[in-house]
Amino acid sequence: MLIAGNWKMFKGPQETRAFVDSFQPPEGVEVVLCPPFVSLEAALTGPHTIYAQNVHWEGSGAYTGEISPEMLLELGVQGALVGHSERRQLFGETDEMVARRTRSALESGLGVIACAGETLEQRESGDTELVLKIQVEAIAFAAGEYEKLVIAYEPVWAIGTGKTATPEQAEEAHRFIKGLTDRPVLYGGSVKPENAAELLDQPSIDGALVGGASLDPDSFAAICRAASPS
Ligand code: PEP
């Protein structure tokens, strides 16, 4: 099981160091923390695997505000999220950009957690599978034979809303994604200590991508315990 915490635009270096000092996940669970860029170095002072929240496809160049795979590797960062719905919705990321970020990060040796998911409108109009097919196939095609790719299924209507997909809804979407690519698939969307176990019990759910509930070390550790084999 892989449990990743996406901190979004929360926690500067000081709060990051405090988190790392008190966070105690159980043995046997793979944990990834995704702090903001400015807090990556502070997060790396702890024993955890650290991913960035985004990565550019070029190694260097005139791309103001972007960070390259090589820069992350130099710091000791092991991977990056790509295609988070907030990037897609608020910053205009297209499937093509997500594919380029995925390819370049994997080529450089970083791991990638690539996000896909439908909006409420798309779900209600019966387009969930079509949307997932387009997004996931773009990512899978870009990744080719590179191994370090994990997909995160994040229904947009469940992110930061407190609305979680039911275990059955999540399982159905995960099974569909696994029919498109044989990568591990994490579930993301209002995962909390109270609902983590029933989601993680589903056979096609290989872990979780957690936003809000990953900001508190105790609640994130509780989610990690729900994924723990012991
Ligand atoms: C996320 O940011 O990827 C996420 C799933 O957020 P939340 O858990 O807060 O819904």
Side-chain angles (χ1 to χ4, degrees):
M1 282 270 171
L2 168 62
I3 307 294
N6 172 23
W7 289 358
K8 312 188 191 223
M9 200 171 70
F10 293 101
K11 294 192 192 295
Q14 214 170 312
E15 280 186 87
T16 297
R17 268 187 292 272
F19 181 101
V20 164
D21 286 345
S22 62
F23 176 54
Q24 291 187 314
E27 298 282 315
V29 180
E30 216 183 321
V31 178
V32 169
L33 301 176
C34 310
F37 285 120
V38 294
S39 300
L40 288 170
E41 205 162 5
L44 284 161
T45 60
H48 312 294
T49 302
I50 306 302
Y51 276 29
Q53 295 176 13
N54 200 6
V55 61
H56 197 256
W57 50 86
E58 294 292 346
S60 60
Y63 301 101
T64 303
E66 294 283 338
I67 302 286
S68 74
E70 289 73 9
M71 290 168 177
L72 295 177
L73 286 164
E74 183 180 340
L75 214 54
V77 169
Q78 285 165 269
L81 289 179
V82 302
H84 191 278
S85 64
E86 286 152 16
R87 299 291 325 164
R88 292 177 187 265
Q89 294 207 305
L90 304 175
F91 300 99
E93 299 238 344
T94 62
D95 284 323
E96 192 199 332
M97 292 160 83
V98 174
R100 293 177 83 177
R101 293 185 196 279
T102 299
R103 177 82 192 177
S104 172
L106 291 169
E107 266 174 1
S108 72
L110 291 170
V112 170
I113 299 174
C115 306
E118 81 287 0
T119 62
L120 185 59
E121 200 184 354
Q122 289 163 338
R123 176 163 278 264
E124 286 178 343
S125 55
D127 290 333
T128 298
E129 292 194 347
L130 177 65
V131 170
L132 291 178
K133 186 169 159 53
I134 292 168
Q135 293 184 357
V136 171
E137 284 186 348
I139 294 162
F141 182 74
E145 298 301 311
Y146 285 101
E147 277 179 18
K148 290 199 278 179
L149 171 69
V150 171
I151 306 287
Y153 169 58
E154 297 210 311
V156 178
W157 48 272
I159 296 179
T161 58
K163 268 191 213 158
T164 318
T166 63
E168 295 71 30
Q169 283 172 322
E171 172 63 19
E172 193 184 353
H174 280 232
R175 228 177 303 121
F176 179 74
I177 292 170
K178 282 172 179 277
L180 302 170
T181 176
D182 59 355
R183 308 293 184 153
V185 186
L186 312 182
Y187 170 76
S190 299
V191 176
K192 303 182 264 284
E194 305 80 64
N195 61 19
E198 58 173 0
L199 287 159
L200 295 169
D201 268 356
Q202 299 301 310
S204 306
I205 298 186
D206 303 309
L209 178 55
V210 184
S214 72
L215 292 169
D216 175 72
D218 294 334
S219 95
F220 194 43
I223 293 170
C224 295
R225 282 196 296 278
S228 167
S230 54

